[in-house]
Amino acid sequence: MQREVREKFGLLLGLAGVICFSLTLPTTSVAVEYFGTTVVGLGRTVVAAILVAVVLIVRKEKLPSPRQFKSLLIVSVGAVLGFPLLTSWAMESLPVSHGAVELALLPLATAGFAMCRAGEIPSLKFWISSIIGSIAVIMYALHLGFGQLQFADLALLAAVIVLGLSYAEGGRLANELGSWQVIAWAILIGAPFFIIPVGLNVTTEMLHAPIHAWVSFIYLAVVSQFLAYIAWYSGMAMGGIARVSQIQYLQPFLMILFAAVFLDESITVFTLVIAVIVVFSVILGKNAPVSKKRSVSEKN
């Protein structure tokens, strides 16, 4: 019975994490209008670093080893620098529902990088599902861009790639360092480099931003950048990675729903159809069989 309760609680934590992540694009869209790309994209990490430092000190977490530090740099470049900055820039010109469809490819990108990092060879099924999902996203972007890809679309696709690599590296490192500790150390590593660019872009006019802009920015810094990761990683640890990770398929639809509720964006049938196609291709790709690369000793 205890195991069942633990697994159910893990699923609830995983759902909480996905819901928190699903609000990232809507809140980014609101905050970037008043604070700009640099402050929203990098400033959230500077604020989150204060919370992270307190938690790490109170828990007396040990410092990462030099080898772990190299992996943390990859996580930091992707999850702390690349993804927030790229999505902040993209959300200046794209609707959230648009971004939700493109970010639906994230689990597939993560799975692909995880296979590469583990020395595994993706099957034909994986590549076919990847192509289907990618084509669907590109067609969607071309349709909304009147026949051409916008730079913001390329930014979102780049965000998917860098965060996918970051997730894969973080997942591999989590077995050694601890689940949430990975993002915590990544935040602490990146934050010092962001202080100067953020400081140079802060203006007195920002102090007069409306309350919903400040709430959005604080949400990004405290929840999206840190607390959501704790819920997500803890959920997978308690409920099982395979079971809890399936909840992530709800994320694009939750993003579209939140965009409609909070930002009054219209939900078109075309958007929902494309989202379904992309999520279906992601499910096929993540469940595709893989084979291990044979070492020299095995060949002999």
Side-chain angles (χ1 to χ4, degrees), residues 66-138:
R67 180 180 58 80
Q68 292 170 337
F69 185 82
K70 293 179 181 178
S71 292
L72 285 171
L73 282 177
I74 296 176
V75 178
S76 186
V77 169
V80 178
L81 171 63
F83 183 78
L85 201 59
L86 288 167
T87 52
S88 295
W89 184 73
M91 285 302 97
E92 285 187 314
S93 57
L94 292 180
V96 172
S97 56
H98 190 140
V101 170
E102 299 193 19
L103 291 186
L105 287 173
L106 179 58
L108 203 59
T110 304
F113 280 118
M115 290 177 192
C116 294
R117 295 294 293 170
E120 296 174 341
I121 303 174
S123 64
L124 180 62
K125 184 180 178 181
F126 176 85
W127 291 117
I128 291 175
S129 59
S130 299
I131 292 171
I132 292 173
S134 300
I135 289 176
V137 165
I138 292 172

Side-chain angles (χ1 to χ4, degrees), residues 11-25:
L11 287 170
L12 288 175
L13 282 174
L15 179 60
V18 167
I19 292 173
C20 291
F21 286 134
S22 299
L23 281 164
T24 298
L25 286 191

Side-chain angles (χ1 to χ4, degrees), residues 140-272:
Y140 181 74
L142 288 172
H143 173 75
L144 295 184
F146 302 103
Q148 61 181 4
L149 283 174
Q150 302 178 50
F151 283 114
D153 289 304
L154 298 177
L156 282 176
L157 293 175
V160 168
I161 293 172
V162 297
L163 189 59
L165 174 59
S166 175
Y167 274 179
E169 191 69 22
R172 191 176 67 87
L173 186 60
N175 294 324
E176 306 174 18
L177 201 58
S179 54
W180 66 267
Q181 288 91 334
V182 172
I183 189 63
W185 284 114
I187 289 172
L188 212 57
I189 289 171
F193 298 98
F194 304 160
I195 294 175
I196 292 178
V198 170
L200 292 174
N201 283 273
V202 170
T203 63
T204 54
E205 287 79 8
M206 292 179 182
L207 297 174
H208 304 292
I211 186 66
H212 65 274
W214 281 106
V215 170
S216 296
F217 178 75
I218 293 172
Y219 180 90
L220 290 169
V222 177
V223 181
S224 292
Q225 198 68 20
F226 185 51
L227 296 183
Y229 281 96
I230 294 179
W232 178 244
Y233 284 130
S234 299
M236 287 194 292
M238 297 177 69
I241 295 174
R243 289 184 66 194
V244 176
S245 64
Q246 305 302 308
I247 302 174
Q248 197 173 20
Y249 300 136
L250 295 174
Q251 190 164 310
F253 302 106
L254 288 173
M255 283 186 184
I256 293 171
L257 175 62
F258 290 145
V261 173
F262 297 113
L263 302 176
D264 294 324
E265 288 190 12
S266 59
I267 303 177
T268 64
V269 174
F270 182 65
T271 296
L272 291 176

